[in-house]
Amino acid sequence: MGPKPWPGRFEILPGLVYLPVLTAIHMTREEKFMQEAITLSQKGMDNNEGGPFGCIIVKGDEIVGRGNNKVSSSNDPTAHAEVTAIRDACKNLDTFQLTDCEVYTSCEPCPMCLGAIYWARPKVVYYANNRQDAADIGFDDSMIYDEMNASLEERKIPILPLGRQEALKVFQQWQHKDDKTEY
């Protein structure tokens, strides 16, 4: 006779054991928040708003921002889940800095989202799927990572300097502006 079953465990067929998924009761605080991000990814996908990505921003124990990928429904290539959640959190908190906030995202952030996250300055980022998982379903960011390491002359999209002298004048004005909001 096989091992004695314990609560929540039973054999489906001889040797094949079923262990139920953790319920919310057994989940950590972080796992509960991650589940919310995953739920957003599912809802957005089911509603044909964009790819299967969801994100929440948490401050303390409160969700202050929510987002799911809306690239195809909004015709906005920047409407990734993380960017959408950051915009929502910043609007709700009336700030452009997410200091003391946590980011929970259903997938490791792409280079664009990672940049937005660093500009927002949260204290931590949790992710579920990794970049290889995303690549496996058609969301491969490896070319962008490669482009970031390539010199300007080697990039696939030409990036050419133009008008620097005039643009520097504005930068110099910014540098001496007394009433600027630094970030």
Side-chain angles (χ1 to χ4, degrees):
M1 206 178 252
K4 205 168 194 180
W6 62 85
R9 173 185 185 238
F10 56 90
E11 290 193 42
I12 298 172
L13 297 170
L16 183 61
V17 175
Y18 169 76
L19 293 171
V21 175
L22 286 176
T23 63
I25 296 170
H26 298 99
M27 295 172 83
T28 66
R29 170 189 175 279
E30 290 79 10
E31 289 169 332
K32 288 176 186 175
F33 285 133
M34 181 57 75
Q35 188 56 54
E36 180 65 25
I38 293 168
T39 299
L40 283 173
S41 72
Q42 180 75 51
K43 286 181 182 176
M45 182 186 68
D46 290 347
N47 292 333
N48 292 318
E49 293 177 325
F53 304 96
C55 181
I56 63 167
I57 310 292
V58 174
K59 184 165 189 169
D61 285 324
E62 179 186 355
I63 297 173
V64 295
R66 288 179 168 81
N68 59 277
N69 183 292
K70 295 182 179 182
V71 169
S72 59
S73 63
S74 66
N75 294 319
D76 179 355
T78 69
H80 288 200
E82 296 90 340
V83 171
T84 304
I86 288 169
R87 289 173 180 163
D88 188 45
C90 288
K91 178 186 66 152
N92 292 333
L93 295 174
D94 194 31
T95 183
F96 54 84
Q97 299 284 280
L98 297 177
T99 309
D100 296 326
C101 290
E102 302 163 67
V103 175
Y104 293 82
T105 181
S106 65
C107 188
E108 182 179 357
C110 75
M112 177 187 69
C113 293
L114 189 58
I117 288 166
Y118 272 94
W119 278 109
R121 295 180 175 89
K123 64 181 182 180
V124 66
V125 176
Y126 297 98
Y127 67 91
N129 294 315
N130 63 40
R131 68 173 83 163
Q132 185 58 55
D133 298 328
D136 290 345
I137 63 163
F139 295 93
D140 189 352
D141 297 323
S142 62
M143 185 275 291
I144 299 171
Y145 285 104
D146 292 343
E147 286 288 286
M148 290 169 52
N149 291 320
S151 68
L152 292 179
E153 299 79 23
E154 296 173 325
R155 292 193 178 165
K156 296 181 186 322
I157 298 174
I159 299 178
L160 308 169
L162 181 65
R164 181 170 180 248
Q165 292 309 309
E166 287 301 310
L168 276 174
K169 291 176 187 175
V170 179
F171 273 19
Q172 290 164 351
Q173 290 173 21
W174 171 261
Q175 190 173 18
H176 300 292
K177 184 174 171 57
D178 292 329
D179 61 344
K180 66 185 169 194
T181 302
E182 294 193 33
Y183 54 98

